[in-house]
């Protein structure tokens, strides 16, 4: 892995992307790229640096990287998805007219057999809220459906996909049409309720109210008592945004 990273660094330098190399280095990205466990984090830092300093090169990079999303190797799909997911946090994808391509790529990875790819795809869809917030409303129904699907992931033993879906949903809510959110509240509530099985042993949540908004808030309130800190943080963010909508 380290040899490949060094080769990439040399190629960037010879291609005139010194600022990209420096930016990635300053954020510890080269070490992350060489780490099997944190490689995807390093890829995200590389994508961020290229969006900042090498925007005009990105359309060709996106074109050449897209086939890797369908690779038979998990590692290649993880790398491509991590790169695309981070690009969506920058407005450069919109300026370079590659937003739709990258968005479609992330949507298409939701059913990937690799859990990390599914997590990164949801992260990318949530990143649209910071990179192209004005596009969130246009794609609102699709984005919401993706978040609901992520919460309902059947091959997610540690709820990592569900947590990412909740985190991304909290980013998107401020930019979505109220009618789109209202139409999905019941679905969101239904997906959230199974996550507090452990809490249900301690508290009787009673009959589900007819008001889907009440169900969603009730479910999130119970999840605030989850023993896992990361769950409580993501739930608090989502709850704060939902309450303003109800």
């Amino acid at each position: 892995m380290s040899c490949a990273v060094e080769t990439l660094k040399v190629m960037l330098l010879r291609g005139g992307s010194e600022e990209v190399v420096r930016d990635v280095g300053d954020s510890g990205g080269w070490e992350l790229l060489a780490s099997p466990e944190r490689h995807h984090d390093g890829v995200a830092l590389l994508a961020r640096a290229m969006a900042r300093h090498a925007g005009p090169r990105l359309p060709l990079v996106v074109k050449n990287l897209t086939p890797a999303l369908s690779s038979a190797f998990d590692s290649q799909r993880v790398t491509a998805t991590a790169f695309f997911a981070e690009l969506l946090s920058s407005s450069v994808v919109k300026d370079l007219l590659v937003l739709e391509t990258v968005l479609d790529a992330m949507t298409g990875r939701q059913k990937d057999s690799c859990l990390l790819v599914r997590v990164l795809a949801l992260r990318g869809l949530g990143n649209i809220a910071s990179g192209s917030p004005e596009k969130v409303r246009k794609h609102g129904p699709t984005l919401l459906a993706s978040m609901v699907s992520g919460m309902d992931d059947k091959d997610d033993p540690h709820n990592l996909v569900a947590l990412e879906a909740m985190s991304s949903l909290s980013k998107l809510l401020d930019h979505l049409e109220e009618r789109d959110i209202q139409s999905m509240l019941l679905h969101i509530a239904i997906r959230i309720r199974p996550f507090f099985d452990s809490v249900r042993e301690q508290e009787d949540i009673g009959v589900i109210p007819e008001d889907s908004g009440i169900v969603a808030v009730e479910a999130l309130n119970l999840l605030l008592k989850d023993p896992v800190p990361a769950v409580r943080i993501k739930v608090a963010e989502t709850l704060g945004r939902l309450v303003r909508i109800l």
Side-chain angles (χ1 to χ4, degrees), residues 20-31:
V20 172
V21 173
R22 187 181 308 111
D23 195 336
V24 175
D26 289 344
S27 56
W30 297 119
E31 292 77 13

Side-chain angles (χ1 to χ4, degrees), residues 61-93:
V61 173
V62 168
K63 179 182 179 180
N64 290 329
L65 200 55
T66 297
L69 292 169
S70 303
S71 169
F73 301 100
D74 288 0
S75 59
Q76 293 184 8
R77 299 199 309 279
V78 166
T79 297
T81 306
F83 192 91
F84 282 10
E86 184 59 34
L87 281 188
L88 286 171
S89 67
S90 171
S91 61
V92 72
V93 293

Side-chain angles (χ1 to χ4, degrees), residues 8-239:
L8 173 61
K9 192 186 300 186
V10 170
M11 289 178 61
L12 286 169
L13 288 171
R14 290 185 177 178
S17 296
E18 293 86 355
E19 290 182 319
V20 172
V21 173
R22 187 181 308 111
D23 195 336
V24 175
D26 289 344
S27 56
W30 297 119
E31 292 77 13
L32 291 174
L33 279 165
S35 167
E37 295 79 17
R38 299 289 303 281
H39 175 72
H40 60 282
D41 293 325
V43 171
L45 292 174
L46 174 61
R48 187 182 306 172
M50 292 195 70
R52 289 173 178 167
H53 307 296
R57 299 176 184 264
L58 286 174
L60 185 58
V61 173
V62 168
K63 179 182 179 180
N64 290 329
L65 200 55
T66 297
L69 292 169
S70 303
S71 169
F73 301 100
D74 288 0
S75 59
Q76 293 184 8
R77 299 199 309 279
V78 166
T79 297
T81 306
F83 192 91
F84 282 10
E86 184 59 34
L87 281 188
L88 286 171
S89 67
S90 171
S91 61
V92 72
V93 293
K94 175 188 60 179
D95 298 337
L96 297 173
L97 304 178
V98 294
L99 173 62
E100 302 295 334
T101 299
V102 178
L103 176 60
D104 289 344
M106 294 298 91
T107 303
R109 290 297 93 205
Q110 287 186 269
K111 301 299 181 182
D112 196 281
S113 59
C114 175
L115 185 144
L116 181 54
V117 169
R118 300 198 301 276
V119 168
L120 292 170
L122 285 168
R123 185 174 302 171
L125 294 175
N127 283 343
I128 298 173
S130 54
S132 307
E134 71 282 0
K135 297 293 185 179
V136 173
R137 291 191 177 188
K138 175 183 176 182
H139 299 284
T142 299
L143 292 170
L144 279 172
S146 296
M147 300 307 115
V148 170
S149 177
M151 292 178 194
D152 197 32
D153 195 298
K154 301 300 184 184
D155 188 20
D156 184 21
H158 302 294
N159 290 331
L160 297 178
V161 177
L163 271 175
E164 195 63 50
M166 197 176 299
S167 175
S168 293
L169 177 62
S170 71
K171 299 175 187 176
L172 295 168
L173 282 173
D174 284 341
H175 307 285
L176 290 164
E177 291 282 2
E178 184 173 337
R179 64 174 181 272
D180 291 333
I181 301 171
Q182 291 288 353
S183 67
M184 295 294 288
L185 270 177
L186 181 57
H187 297 283
I188 293 171
I190 290 172
R191 298 307 191 276
I192 289 173
R193 289 183 72 90
F195 297 133
F196 50 77
D197 285 342
S198 60
V199 179
R200 188 179 290 118
E201 297 176 1
Q202 304 172 19
E203 293 191 31
D204 179 13
I205 59 175
V207 179
I208 299 178
E210 292 183 2
D211 188 327
S212 59
I214 294 175
V215 177
V217 173
E218 176 197 53
L220 288 167
N221 273 322
L222 282 175
L223 277 171
L224 286 171
K225 301 177 183 180
D226 194 281
V228 180
V231 173
R232 297 197 299 271
I233 292 170
K234 299 306 180 187
V235 167
E237 293 173 354
T238 305
L239 179 59

